Amino acid sequence: MVLTISLTPSEGARLNAMALHDGVGAAELARKLVTDHLPPASPDTNVNQGAIDLLQSWIQDEAPSDPDHALAAERELQEFKRNMNANRAATGERLPFPE
């Protein structure tokens, strides 16, 4: 968004003096002064919402509906973690899945 504002000569001089003191341009200082005083963005506004929705749909699509299948998958995951830890411990490396 481009915004044009009119300042009195005194206001312009003060803005330029402050910008010179801060080592920035007058336009950059004016932008900073405005943005520093804006209310926070609405918590409902999430630029990542599309990605979040997609990941949630993938999780739901892949969720096992059979409790026995879910239990078997959990056991398989735990076994994988134990094996990874054992391999790393044998070589003196950091454990990827500390218990």
Side-chain angles (χ1 to χ4, degrees):
M1 174 177 163
V2 176
L3 179 66
T4 303
I5 59 171
S6 296
L7 299 175
T8 66
S10 173
E11 293 166 338
R14 290 171 38 213
L15 179 66
N16 284 327
M18 188 173 178
L20 182 62
H21 177 268
D22 291 353
V24 296
E28 177 60 23
L29 177 61
R31 187 197 65 75
K32 182 179 182 324
L33 291 170
V34 169
T35 57
D36 285 353
H37 291 88
L38 290 174
S42 169
D44 296 337
T45 305
N46 188 341
V47 296
N48 297 317
Q49 193 59 51
I52 291 169
D53 292 343
L54 179 60
L55 290 170
Q56 289 294 339
S57 73
W58 288 350
I59 290 169
Q60 290 172 355
D61 289 347
E62 295 299 319
S65 57
D66 178 18
D68 291 333
H69 181 73
L71 186 58
E74 181 61 30
R75 286 186 189 137
E76 184 178 324
L77 175 61
Q78 293 308 318
E79 180 183 2
F80 172 79
K81 288 179 178 182
R82 279 192 305 276
N83 290 337
M84 288 292 293
N85 281 344
N87 184 44
R88 292 289 180 95
T91 60
E93 297 179 66
R94 178 187 63 83
L95 300 182
F97 305 104
E99 297 174 344

